[in-house]
């Protein structure tokens, strides 16, 4: 399917080619090289993380995060239910069991009350969870104070899935740097891209060393090739890291452009009481990767809005289908109510690319408006 307007297409800055050319000129066409080292350093500078590891995808970064924390077969990992499936799948890769936690209505992310209930339950039965994975959905920072408090109190490590949230801040600090480990994605649809890629962030040297080792085939520091553990081939290519460097130079502009989209939709649709946008109260700064909203007017079907947009060649998307509703995961334990499900059934994500122009956001707002 080709669209006239895409949901979140790549947006090149023009600066990527310089770094790609350098990779070609120096013949570093490999998963090592100067662009990777520089990209990791630049990610640390931008996010404030002490360490960064550039890898082949956000999913790989999550897998490495779980391995670095020592999550194993039979362990329990508490995971936000309302998310893309890549948040949960790595829990299965390591043979652990995901337990899904409902969302709260404000930021749409992990509900601290449901998290607390699940922690109480598992600690009571003597099965302390090995990690918690919180997501900053569509760029919106989760209830980090409350979640960090619960994790610290129970001595359970926190992984932040900030795949969609590069540039978002909580209390003036970049998300992805609050948990023991954070991950970001540079997939083609994310706020900046390396065509495909991801990164793991941490202030913990031990976790970082372990992840770097496992991402490079668990090769022991010997001249001959010696291996004591099963490793992975998860490093980012030096060519892709060059794309990332050219993209990271314009991240502030990209965040501002996505926020401008959100602000435009917000004011253009402000008269419609049946629409509620994902909100970011108190100390939150969302990169507004996607402008997400729910249709509160029960007479209006969200798929009708999507179809109206589709009729004009405009791509939109439902809110993620919660993991506890997915055929592969629906038999697993879950905590909380039905907030994630109602966000899914009532939600729509509007086109949010940083390359949208005013005519396009105006047209999209008009089409949405006429549905009411
Ligand atoms: C995109 C995404 C991922 C996975 O990132 P990839 O780079 O595509 O592997 C993980 N979690 C969330 C919430 C995402 O949106």
């Amino acid at each position: 399917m080709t669209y006239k307007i895409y949901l979140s297409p790549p947006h090149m800055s023009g600066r990527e080619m310089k770094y790609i050319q350098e990779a070609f000129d120096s013949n570093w066409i490999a998963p090592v090289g100067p662009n990777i080292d520089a990209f990791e350093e630049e990610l640390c500078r931008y996010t404030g993380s002490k360490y960064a590891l550039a890898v082949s995808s956000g999913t790989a970064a999550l897998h490495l995060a779980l391995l670095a924390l020592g999550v194993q077969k039979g362990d329990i990992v508490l995971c936000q239910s309302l998310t893309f499936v890549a948040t949960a799948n790595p829990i299965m890769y390591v043979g652990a069991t995901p337990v899904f936690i409902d969302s709260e209505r404000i930021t749409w992310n992990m509900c601290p009350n449901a998290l607390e209930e699940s922690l109480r339950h598992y600690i009571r039965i003597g099965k302390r969870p090995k990690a918690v994975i919180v997501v900053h959905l569509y760029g919106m920072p989760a209830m980090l104070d409350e979640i960090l408090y619960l994790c610290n109190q129970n001595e359970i490590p926190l992984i932040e899935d900030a795949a969609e949230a590069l540039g978002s801040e909580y209390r003036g600090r970049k998300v992805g740097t609050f948990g023991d480990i954070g991950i970001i994605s540079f997939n083609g649809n994310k706020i900046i891209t390396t065509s495909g890629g991801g990164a793991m962030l941490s202030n913990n040297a031990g976790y970082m060393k372990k992840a770097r080792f496992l991402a490079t085939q668990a090769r022991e520091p010997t001249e001959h090739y010696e291996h004591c553990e099963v490793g992975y081939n998860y490093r980012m290519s030096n060519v892709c890291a060059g794309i990332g460097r050219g993209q990271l130079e314009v991240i502030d502009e990209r965040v501002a452009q996505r926020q401008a989209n959100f602000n435009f939709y917000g004011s253009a649709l402000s008269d419609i009481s049946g629409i509620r946008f994902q909100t970011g109260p108190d100390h939150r700064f969302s990169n507004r990767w996607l402008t997400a909203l729910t249709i509160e007017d029960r007479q209006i079907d969200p798929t009708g809005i999507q179809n109206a947009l589709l009729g004009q060649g405009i791509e939109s998307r439902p809110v993620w289908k919660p993991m506890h509703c997915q055929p592969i995961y629906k038999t697993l334990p879950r905590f909380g109510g039905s907030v994630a499900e109602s966000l899914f059934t009532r939600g729509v994500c509007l086109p949010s690319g940083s390359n949208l122009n005013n005519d396009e956001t105006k047209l999209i707002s008009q089409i949405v408006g006429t549905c009411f």
Side-chain angles (χ1 to χ4, degrees):
M1 179 80 199
T2 60
Y3 296 96
K4 216 165 62 193
I5 301 175
Y6 285 89
L7 183 85
S8 179
H11 186 179
M12 294 297 108
S13 69
R15 305 180 190 203
E16 298 84 1
M17 289 310 285
K18 173 173 143 242
Y19 298 112
I20 295 171
Q21 193 62 50
E22 280 174 20
F24 276 68
D25 292 344
S26 58
N27 208 28
W28 282 107
I29 312 295
V32 284
N35 276 336
I36 298 175
D37 298 341
F39 188 45
E40 287 177 348
E41 237 170 74
E42 288 155 7
L43 281 171
C44 287
R45 209 174 313 138
Y46 178 71
T47 59
S49 178
K50 203 159 171 191
Y51 308 105
L53 176 70
V55 292
S56 54
S57 70
T59 312
L62 269 166
H63 187 191
L64 292 168
L66 292 167
L67 292 166
L69 293 174
V71 180
Q72 293 175 3
K73 194 168 156 62
D75 288 339
I76 281 175
V77 176
L78 304 173
C79 178
Q80 180 166 325
S81 186
L82 187 67
T83 186
F84 178 49
V85 72
T87 310
N89 284 345
I91 303 169
M92 303 293 277
Y93 300 169
V94 299
T97 303
V99 171
F100 294 112
I101 311 295
D102 198 19
S103 288
E104 31 78 11
R105 286 210 155 267
I106 300 168
T107 75
W108 300 12
N109 292 305
M110 182 179 274
C111 172
N113 295 334
L115 174 63
E116 185 171 23
E117 192 195 332
S118 67
L119 285 168
R120 277 222 196 98
H121 169 78
Y122 284 107
I123 289 167
R124 191 184 325 115
I125 65 168
K127 204 140 181 28
R128 178 179 296 269
K130 277 292 167 66
V132 171
I133 306 179
V134 67
V135 185
H136 305 297
L137 211 65
Y138 305 127
M140 181 61 70
M143 297 279 180
L144 278 171
D145 279 354
E146 294 81 354
I147 290 166
L148 277 167
Y149 174 81
L150 289 168
C151 287
N152 291 338
Q153 194 185 38
N154 293 288
E155 293 175 31
I156 298 172
L158 178 68
I159 298 173
E160 284 177 87
D161 179 345
E164 303 173 354
L166 185 63
S168 296
E169 294 175 10
Y170 184 70
R171 297 190 184 280
R173 201 168 113 197
K174 294 282 189 297
V175 301
T177 63
F178 286 84
D180 297 81
I181 298 178
I183 74 98
I184 42 191
S185 167
F186 305 113
N187 198 0
N189 60 353
K190 297 297 186 339
I191 192 150
I192 62 168
T193 184
T194 58
S195 74
M200 186 179 118
L201 306 176
S202 184
N203 290 337
N204 182 308
Y207 294 154
M208 208 31 100
K209 187 164 172 235
K210 179 91 194 176
R212 199 173 279 275
F213 170 73
L214 291 173
T216 44
Q217 307 282 23
R219 188 183 158 191
E220 296 293 337
T222 55
E223 186 59 36
H224 62 278
Y225 281 67
E226 181 135 312
H227 304 274
C228 309
E229 281 180 73
V230 175
Y232 302 85
N233 181 6
Y234 275 170
R235 289 314 308 276
M236 181 181 279
S237 131
N238 190 58
V239 179
C240 293
I243 304 176
R245 294 186 72 189
Q247 290 267 288
L248 196 57
E249 286 182 10
V250 296
I251 178 95
D252 290 340
E253 282 167 50
R254 296 296 184 260
V255 171
Q257 286 154 332
R258 300 238 178 197
Q259 288 205 318
N261 295 337
F262 169 76
N263 290 333
F264 186 93
Y265 290 133
S267 59
L269 299 169
S270 62
D271 288 347
I272 301 171
S273 60
I275 288 181
R276 191 158 83 190
F277 290 92
Q278 183 190 29
T279 50
D282 298 350
H283 326 297
R284 277 182 183 74
F285 175 86
S286 170
N287 68 5
R288 294 290 175 186
W289 173 59
L290 295 186
T291 291
L293 52 85
T294 50
I295 311 300
E296 299 296 316
D297 183 341
R298 299 277 144 178
Q299 254 138 38
I300 296 184
D301 182 2
T303 54
I305 292 173
Q306 287 201 252
N307 287 335
L309 290 167
L310 189 62
Q312 308 263 346
I314 300 168
E315 185 187 22
S316 63
R317 196 194 265 172
V319 162
W320 299 123
K321 182 173 184 175
M323 291 305 108
H324 72 268
C325 304
Q326 297 287 352
I328 40 165
Y329 289 133
K330 67 181 180 203
T331 58
L332 292 176
R334 54 180 285 236
F335 285 82
S338 56
V339 174
E341 266 164 271
S342 77
L343 292 168
F344 165 61
T345 51
R346 303 306 304 168
V348 180
C349 298
L350 296 180
S352 302
S354 46
N355 37 17
L356 279 176
N357 63 40
N358 283 344
D359 291 340
E360 291 170 325
T361 42
K362 204 187 243 171
L363 172 68
I364 293 159
S365 306
Q366 274 162 3
I367 297 168
V368 173
T370 54
C371 296
F372 285 82

Short mmCIF file of all heavy atoms in Angstrom, two decimals, residues 79-83 100-115 133-138 142-143 147 278 319-320 322-324 334-344:
data_model
loop_
_atom_site.label_atom_id
_atom_site.label_comp_id
_atom_site.label_asym_id
_atom_site.label_seq_id
_atom_site.Cartn_x
_atom_site.Cartn_y
_atom_site.Cartn_z
N CYS A 79 5.67 -6.58 32.86
CA CYS A 79 5.79 -5.84 31.60
C CYS A 79 4.50 -5.08 31.31
O CYS A 79 3.40 -5.62 31.46
CB CYS A 79 6.06 -6.86 30.49
SG CYS A 79 6.18 -6.15 28.85
N GLN A 80 4.65 -3.84 30.90
CA GLN A 80 3.48 -3.05 30.49
C GLN A 80 2.72 -3.77 29.38
O GLN A 80 3.33 -4.20 28.39
CB GLN A 80 3.98 -1.68 30.02
CG GLN A 80 2.89 -0.74 29.57
CD GLN A 80 3.42 0.69 29.44
OE1 GLN A 80 4.28 1.13 30.21
NE2 GLN A 80 2.92 1.43 28.47
N SER A 81 1.41 -3.89 29.53
CA SER A 81 0.64 -4.63 28.53
C SER A 81 0.39 -3.81 27.27
O SER A 81 0.41 -4.34 26.15
CB SER A 81 -0.71 -5.06 29.12
OG SER A 81 -1.40 -5.88 28.20
N LEU A 82 0.16 -2.50 27.43
CA LEU A 82 -0.16 -1.66 26.27
C LEU A 82 1.15 -1.22 25.62
O LEU A 82 1.77 -0.23 26.03
CB LEU A 82 -0.97 -0.43 26.70
CG LEU A 82 -1.50 0.42 25.54
CD1 LEU A 82 -2.54 -0.34 24.72
CD2 LEU A 82 -2.09 1.73 26.03
N THR A 83 1.56 -1.96 24.59
CA THR A 83 2.82 -1.67 23.92
C THR A 83 2.90 -2.46 22.62
O THR A 83 2.03 -3.28 22.32
CB THR A 83 4.02 -2.02 24.83
OG1 THR A 83 5.23 -1.59 24.20
CG2 THR A 83 4.12 -3.51 25.12
N PHE A 100 1.62 -9.31 32.60
CA PHE A 100 1.25 -8.04 31.99
C PHE A 100 0.52 -7.12 32.97
O PHE A 100 -0.37 -7.55 33.70
CB PHE A 100 0.43 -8.29 30.73
CG PHE A 100 1.26 -8.97 29.68
CD1 PHE A 100 1.00 -10.29 29.30
CD2 PHE A 100 2.35 -8.32 29.12
CE1 PHE A 100 1.79 -10.92 28.36
CE2 PHE A 100 3.15 -8.96 28.19
CZ PHE A 100 2.87 -10.25 27.80
N ILE A 101 0.93 -5.86 32.95
CA ILE A 101 0.42 -4.85 33.87
C ILE A 101 -0.38 -3.82 33.07
O ILE A 101 0.08 -3.32 32.05
CB ILE A 101 1.59 -4.15 34.61
CG1 ILE A 101 2.58 -5.18 35.20
CG2 ILE A 101 1.07 -3.20 35.68
CD1 ILE A 101 2.01 -6.06 36.29
N ASP A 102 -1.54 -3.50 33.59
CA ASP A 102 -2.46 -2.55 32.94
C ASP A 102 -1.88 -1.13 32.95
O ASP A 102 -0.88 -0.86 33.63
CB ASP A 102 -3.80 -2.58 33.68
CG ASP A 102 -4.94 -1.97 32.86
OD1 ASP A 102 -4.79 -1.86 31.62
OD2 ASP A 102 -5.97 -1.62 33.46
N SER A 103 -2.54 -0.24 32.23
CA SER A 103 -2.11 1.17 32.14
C SER A 103 -2.98 2.05 33.03
O SER A 103 -4.07 1.66 33.44
CB SER A 103 -2.23 1.64 30.70
OG SER A 103 -1.23 1.05 29.91
N GLU A 104 -2.48 3.27 33.28
CA GLU A 104 -3.34 4.30 33.87
C GLU A 104 -3.84 5.19 32.72
O GLU A 104 -3.28 5.17 31.63
CB GLU A 104 -2.63 5.10 34.97
CG GLU A 104 -1.14 5.31 34.86
CD GLU A 104 -0.74 6.39 33.88
OE1 GLU A 104 -1.62 7.13 33.42
OE2 GLU A 104 0.46 6.46 33.55
N ARG A 105 -4.89 5.98 33.01
CA ARG A 105 -5.57 6.74 31.97
C ARG A 105 -4.86 8.02 31.56
O ARG A 105 -5.21 8.64 30.56
CB ARG A 105 -6.98 7.15 32.45
CG ARG A 105 -7.93 6.03 32.48
CD ARG A 105 -9.38 6.52 32.23
NE ARG A 105 -10.11 5.40 31.71
CZ ARG A 105 -10.26 5.15 30.41
NH1 ARG A 105 -9.78 5.96 29.50
NH2 ARG A 105 -10.90 4.07 30.01
N ILE A 106 -3.90 8.47 32.38
CA ILE A 106 -3.33 9.79 32.13
C ILE A 106 -2.25 9.72 31.05
O ILE A 106 -2.41 10.27 29.96
CB ILE A 106 -2.81 10.42 33.44
CG1 ILE A 106 -3.99 10.55 34.41
CG2 ILE A 106 -2.16 11.77 33.18
CD1 ILE A 106 -3.60 10.87 35.82
N THR A 107 -1.16 9.00 31.36
CA THR A 107 -0.07 8.90 30.36
C THR A 107 -0.24 7.66 29.47
O THR A 107 0.52 7.49 28.51
CB THR A 107 1.31 8.83 31.03
OG1 THR A 107 1.49 7.52 31.58
CG2 THR A 107 1.47 9.88 32.12
N TRP A 108 -1.15 6.77 29.82
CA TRP A 108 -1.43 5.51 29.12
C TRP A 108 -0.38 4.43 29.43
O TRP A 108 -0.40 3.36 28.83
CB TRP A 108 -1.52 5.67 27.59
CG TRP A 108 -2.58 6.60 27.10
CD1 TRP A 108 -3.33 7.49 27.83
CD2 TRP A 108 -3.02 6.75 25.74
NE1 TRP A 108 -4.20 8.17 27.01
CE2 TRP A 108 -4.03 7.74 25.73
CE3 TRP A 108 -2.66 6.13 24.54
CZ2 TRP A 108 -4.67 8.13 24.55
CZ3 TRP A 108 -3.30 6.51 23.38
CH2 TRP A 108 -4.29 7.51 23.38
N ASN A 109 0.55 4.73 30.32
CA ASN A 109 1.62 3.77 30.62
C ASN A 109 1.34 2.97 31.88
O ASN A 109 0.27 3.10 32.48
CB ASN A 109 2.94 4.52 30.70
CG ASN A 109 3.34 5.06 29.35
OD1 ASN A 109 3.43 4.31 28.38
ND2 ASN A 109 3.54 6.37 29.27
N MET A 110 2.31 2.14 32.29
CA MET A 110 2.14 1.20 33.40
C MET A 110 1.50 1.85 34.61
O MET A 110 1.97 2.87 35.11
CB MET A 110 3.50 0.61 33.77
CG MET A 110 3.44 -0.41 34.87
SD MET A 110 5.07 -1.08 35.25
CE MET A 110 5.17 -2.40 34.04
N CYS A 111 0.44 1.22 35.10
CA CYS A 111 -0.30 1.74 36.26
C CYS A 111 0.45 1.35 37.54
O CYS A 111 0.62 0.16 37.83
CB CYS A 111 -1.71 1.16 36.28
SG CYS A 111 -2.60 1.58 37.78
N PRO A 112 0.92 2.33 38.32
CA PRO A 112 1.66 2.00 39.54
C PRO A 112 0.86 1.14 40.51
O PRO A 112 1.44 0.28 41.18
CB PRO A 112 1.99 3.37 40.15
CG PRO A 112 1.95 4.32 39.00
CD PRO A 112 0.89 3.79 38.09
N ASN A 113 -0.46 1.35 40.59
CA ASN A 113 -1.27 0.54 41.51
C ASN A 113 -1.29 -0.92 41.10
O ASN A 113 -1.17 -1.82 41.94
CB ASN A 113 -2.70 1.06 41.59
CG ASN A 113 -2.76 2.45 42.18
OD1 ASN A 113 -1.87 2.84 42.95
ND2 ASN A 113 -3.77 3.22 41.81
N ALA A 114 -1.44 -1.16 39.81
CA ALA A 114 -1.45 -2.54 39.31
C ALA A 114 -0.06 -3.16 39.49
O ALA A 114 0.07 -4.35 39.81
CB ALA A 114 -1.87 -2.58 37.85
N LEU A 115 0.97 -2.34 39.30
CA LEU A 115 2.34 -2.84 39.51
C LEU A 115 2.52 -3.26 40.97
O LEU A 115 3.05 -4.34 41.27
CB LEU A 115 3.36 -1.77 39.13
CG LEU A 115 4.82 -2.11 39.43
CD1 LEU A 115 5.29 -3.33 38.62
CD2 LEU A 115 5.74 -0.92 39.14
N ILE A 133 9.53 -3.95 33.15
CA ILE A 133 9.73 -3.18 31.90
C ILE A 133 8.59 -2.18 31.75
O ILE A 133 7.43 -2.56 31.56
CB ILE A 133 9.79 -4.08 30.65
CG1 ILE A 133 10.85 -5.18 30.80
CG2 ILE A 133 10.10 -3.22 29.41
CD1 ILE A 133 10.94 -6.11 29.58
N VAL A 134 8.94 -0.90 31.84
CA VAL A 134 7.97 0.17 31.64
C VAL A 134 8.21 0.75 30.25
O VAL A 134 9.34 0.75 29.75
CB VAL A 134 8.11 1.25 32.73
CG1 VAL A 134 9.43 2.00 32.63
CG2 VAL A 134 6.95 2.24 32.68
N VAL A 135 7.14 1.24 29.61
CA VAL A 135 7.24 1.82 28.26
C VAL A 135 6.83 3.29 28.33
O VAL A 135 5.95 3.64 29.13
CB VAL A 135 6.32 1.06 27.28
CG1 VAL A 135 6.49 1.57 25.85
CG2 VAL A 135 6.57 -0.44 27.35
N HIS A 136 7.48 4.13 27.53
CA HIS A 136 7.04 5.52 27.40
C HIS A 136 6.32 5.61 26.05
O HIS A 136 6.90 5.96 25.02
CB HIS A 136 8.23 6.48 27.46
CG HIS A 136 9.06 6.30 28.70
ND1 HIS A 136 8.55 6.52 29.96
CD2 HIS A 136 10.35 5.90 28.87
CE1 HIS A 136 9.50 6.29 30.85
NE2 HIS A 136 10.59 5.90 30.22
N LEU A 137 5.04 5.25 26.09
CA LEU A 137 4.28 5.02 24.88
C LEU A 137 4.08 6.29 24.06
O LEU A 137 3.65 7.31 24.59
CB LEU A 137 2.91 4.46 25.28
CG LEU A 137 2.28 3.50 24.28
CD1 LEU A 137 3.09 2.24 24.13
CD2 LEU A 137 0.86 3.16 24.71
N TYR A 138 4.37 6.19 22.78
CA TYR A 138 4.26 7.31 21.83
C TYR A 138 5.10 8.51 22.27
O TYR A 138 4.86 9.63 21.82
CB TYR A 138 2.79 7.71 21.62
CG TYR A 138 1.92 6.55 21.19
CD1 TYR A 138 0.75 6.22 21.87
CD2 TYR A 138 2.29 5.76 20.11
CE1 TYR A 138 -0.02 5.13 21.48
CE2 TYR A 138 1.53 4.67 19.72
CZ TYR A 138 0.38 4.36 20.41
OH TYR A 138 -0.38 3.28 20.03
N ALA A 142 6.26 7.83 31.42
CA ALA A 142 5.38 7.10 32.35
C ALA A 142 5.45 7.72 33.74
O ALA A 142 6.16 8.70 33.97
CB ALA A 142 5.82 5.64 32.39
N MET A 143 4.73 7.13 34.69
CA MET A 143 4.71 7.58 36.09
C MET A 143 6.01 7.10 36.76
O MET A 143 6.01 6.16 37.56
CB MET A 143 3.50 6.99 36.82
CG MET A 143 2.16 7.44 36.26
SD MET A 143 1.73 9.07 36.89
CE MET A 143 0.14 9.32 36.09
N ILE A 147 6.84 4.39 39.94
CA ILE A 147 7.37 3.08 39.51
C ILE A 147 8.77 2.86 40.06
O ILE A 147 9.09 1.77 40.55
CB ILE A 147 7.30 2.99 37.97
CG1 ILE A 147 5.82 2.88 37.54
CG2 ILE A 147 8.10 1.79 37.44
CD1 ILE A 147 5.57 3.11 36.07
N GLN A 278 -3.78 11.99 24.46
CA GLN A 278 -2.87 11.46 25.49
C GLN A 278 -2.21 12.67 26.16
O GLN A 278 -1.69 13.54 25.46
CB GLN A 278 -1.81 10.58 24.81
CG GLN A 278 -0.85 9.90 25.76
CD GLN A 278 0.31 9.24 25.01
OE1 GLN A 278 0.70 9.67 23.93
NE2 GLN A 278 0.87 8.18 25.58
N VAL A 319 -4.38 2.35 18.32
CA VAL A 319 -3.45 2.24 19.45
C VAL A 319 -3.03 0.77 19.55
O VAL A 319 -3.79 -0.13 19.16
CB VAL A 319 -4.16 2.77 20.73
CG1 VAL A 319 -3.46 2.30 22.00
CG2 VAL A 319 -4.24 4.29 20.67
N TRP A 320 -1.83 0.51 20.05
CA TRP A 320 -1.32 -0.87 20.15
C TRP A 320 -2.35 -1.79 20.81
O TRP A 320 -2.94 -1.41 21.83
CB TRP A 320 -0.05 -0.93 20.99
CG TRP A 320 1.13 -0.14 20.49
CD1 TRP A 320 1.79 0.83 21.19
CD2 TRP A 320 1.83 -0.29 19.25
NE1 TRP A 320 2.84 1.31 20.43
CE2 TRP A 320 2.89 0.64 19.24
CE3 TRP A 320 1.66 -1.11 18.13
CZ2 TRP A 320 3.77 0.78 18.17
CZ3 TRP A 320 2.54 -0.97 17.06
CH2 TRP A 320 3.57 -0.04 17.10
N PRO A 322 -3.20 -4.47 23.31
CA PRO A 322 -2.48 -4.89 24.52
C PRO A 322 -1.98 -6.33 24.42
O PRO A 322 -2.61 -7.18 23.78
CB PRO A 322 -3.54 -4.78 25.63
CG PRO A 322 -4.55 -3.83 25.11
CD PRO A 322 -4.56 -3.99 23.61
N MET A 323 -0.85 -6.57 25.07
CA MET A 323 -0.24 -7.90 25.01
C MET A 323 -1.14 -8.97 25.61
O MET A 323 -1.16 -10.10 25.12
CB MET A 323 1.11 -7.90 25.74
CG MET A 323 2.19 -7.10 25.05
SD MET A 323 2.46 -7.59 23.34
CE MET A 323 1.75 -6.20 22.48
N HIS A 324 -1.90 -8.62 26.67
CA HIS A 324 -2.72 -9.66 27.30
C HIS A 324 -3.92 -10.03 26.42
O HIS A 324 -4.65 -10.97 26.74
CB HIS A 324 -3.17 -9.22 28.71
CG HIS A 324 -4.21 -8.15 28.72
ND1 HIS A 324 -3.90 -6.81 28.78
CD2 HIS A 324 -5.56 -8.22 28.65
CE1 HIS A 324 -5.02 -6.11 28.76
NE2 HIS A 324 -6.05 -6.94 28.68
N ARG A 334 -2.01 -11.55 34.40
CA ARG A 334 -2.06 -10.10 34.21
C ARG A 334 -2.64 -9.45 35.46
O ARG A 334 -3.33 -10.10 36.24
CB ARG A 334 -2.93 -9.76 33.01
CG ARG A 334 -4.32 -10.35 33.07
CD ARG A 334 -5.11 -9.97 31.85
NE ARG A 334 -5.53 -8.60 31.95
CZ ARG A 334 -6.80 -8.17 31.87
NH1 ARG A 334 -7.77 -9.04 31.70
NH2 ARG A 334 -7.10 -6.90 31.96
N PHE A 335 -2.30 -8.18 35.62
CA PHE A 335 -2.78 -7.42 36.79
C PHE A 335 -3.38 -6.11 36.33
O PHE A 335 -2.88 -5.48 35.41
CB PHE A 335 -1.63 -7.17 37.78
CG PHE A 335 -1.27 -8.41 38.55
CD1 PHE A 335 -0.44 -9.37 37.99
CD2 PHE A 335 -1.79 -8.62 39.83
CE1 PHE A 335 -0.12 -10.53 38.69
CE2 PHE A 335 -1.48 -9.77 40.53
CZ PHE A 335 -0.64 -10.73 39.96
N GLY A 336 -4.44 -5.69 37.03
CA GLY A 336 -5.08 -4.41 36.74
C GLY A 336 -6.43 -4.61 36.11
O GLY A 336 -6.96 -5.73 36.09
N GLY A 337 -6.99 -3.51 35.59
CA GLY A 337 -8.33 -3.54 35.03
C GLY A 337 -8.31 -3.57 33.52
O GLY A 337 -7.55 -4.33 32.91
N SER A 338 -9.17 -2.71 32.93
CA SER A 338 -9.35 -2.78 31.48
C SER A 338 -8.98 -1.45 30.80
O SER A 338 -9.50 -1.13 29.75
CB SER A 338 -10.79 -3.15 31.17
OG SER A 338 -11.64 -2.21 31.79
N VAL A 339 -8.08 -0.68 31.43
CA VAL A 339 -7.71 0.61 30.85
C VAL A 339 -7.00 0.41 29.50
O VAL A 339 -7.35 1.06 28.51
CB VAL A 339 -6.82 1.42 31.83
CG1 VAL A 339 -6.30 2.69 31.17
CG2 VAL A 339 -7.61 1.76 33.10
N ALA A 340 -6.04 -0.50 29.47
CA ALA A 340 -5.30 -0.73 28.22
C ALA A 340 -6.25 -1.13 27.10
O ALA A 340 -6.15 -0.64 25.97
CB ALA A 340 -4.23 -1.80 28.42
N GLU A 341 -7.21 -2.02 27.44
CA GLU A 341 -8.17 -2.46 26.43
C GLU A 341 -9.03 -1.32 25.92
O GLU A 341 -9.30 -1.22 24.73
CB GLU A 341 -9.08 -3.53 27.02
CG GLU A 341 -8.58 -4.93 26.75
CD GLU A 341 -9.27 -5.93 27.66
OE1 GLU A 341 -8.73 -6.16 28.76
OE2 GLU A 341 -10.32 -6.45 27.28
N SER A 342 -9.45 -0.43 26.83
CA SER A 342 -10.32 0.65 26.36
C SER A 342 -9.52 1.67 25.56
O SER A 342 -10.03 2.25 24.60
CB SER A 342 -11.12 1.27 27.51
OG SER A 342 -10.30 2.12 28.25
N LEU A 343 -8.25 1.87 25.90
CA LEU A 343 -7.42 2.76 25.07
C LEU A 343 -7.26 2.16 23.67
O LEU A 343 -7.26 2.88 22.67
CB LEU A 343 -6.05 3.00 25.72
CG LEU A 343 -6.07 3.82 27.02
CD1 LEU A 343 -4.73 3.74 27.74
CD2 LEU A 343 -6.44 5.28 26.75
N PHE A 344 -7.13 0.84 23.63
CA PHE A 344 -7.01 0.16 22.33
C PHE A 344 -8.29 0.28 21.51
O PHE A 344 -8.26 0.65 20.34
CB PHE A 344 -6.65 -1.32 22.55
CG PHE A 344 -6.85 -2.20 21.36
CD1 PHE A 344 -6.15 -1.97 20.18
CD2 PHE A 344 -7.74 -3.27 21.41
CE1 PHE A 344 -6.35 -2.79 19.06
CE2 PHE A 344 -7.94 -4.09 20.30
CZ PHE A 344 -7.24 -3.84 19.13
#
